[in-house]
Amino acid sequence: MRANGIEQWSDLDSISQKNHIEQKDIFLSTISEINQERKRLKNEASIARRSLPLIAGVLEGTYQNYEKICTDERLTHGPVLPGGSFLASIGPLRDGNWTVERRPRDSK
């Protein structure tokens, strides 16, 4: 647009620059579709991410059975086991420090 001296779509003449106005509609439609798809993917990723701590706990052996998951939930909302820290007594499902984000490697 700027290469053609156009700053805003409203600067276009509706008769002589009809093809540019038609392009505008295509651009805006495409942008809308991209934004809708981005929102859908973001929601889908959010749903999948919520299950990752549970999957990680199963794979690493923290959650060997359903009862351990229930125990983890009770510990999260109840008293800490004697002699141990709270985070040491639970698995990744309720551990606020657990993350799937990549951590930077040591520079050593």
Side-chain angles (χ1 to χ4, degrees):
M1 287 180 61
R2 288 194 178 109
N4 294 312
I6 302 168
E7 291 296 323
Q8 297 181 5
W9 290 108
S10 59
D11 294 342
L12 297 174
D13 178 56
S14 61
I15 296 170
S16 66
Q17 296 176 324
K18 183 179 177 184
N19 61 332
H20 292 301
I21 293 173
E22 289 171 354
Q23 282 296 104
K24 173 192 91 164
D25 294 337
I26 293 170
F27 293 152
L28 294 179
S29 175
T30 302
I31 290 169
S32 176
E33 289 173 14
I34 290 169
N35 283 332
Q36 288 175 0
E37 180 68 3
R38 183 185 55 82
K39 287 178 187 176
R40 186 189 68 76
L41 291 172
K42 185 177 180 182
N43 185 46
E44 193 174 294
S46 175
I47 291 168
R49 183 168 284 195
R50 286 190 296 243
S51 64
L52 287 177
L54 176 61
I55 293 168
V58 170
L59 293 176
E60 72 181 7
T62 304
Y63 303 131
Q64 297 173 358
N65 55 44
Y66 178 73
E67 182 57 33
K68 175 56 180 135
I69 296 169
C70 294
T71 301
D72 197 31
E73 287 293 304
R74 281 192 295 275
L75 288 172
T76 302
H77 303 291
V80 177
L81 291 176
S85 75
F86 171 69
L87 293 178
S89 64
I90 65 170
L93 188 59
R94 296 293 174 197
D95 183 349
N97 295 325
W98 189 89
T99 180
V100 296
E101 303 299 325
R102 296 178 75 182
R103 292 191 174 116
R105 293 183 178 168
D106 293 333
S107 58
K108 295 178 182 178

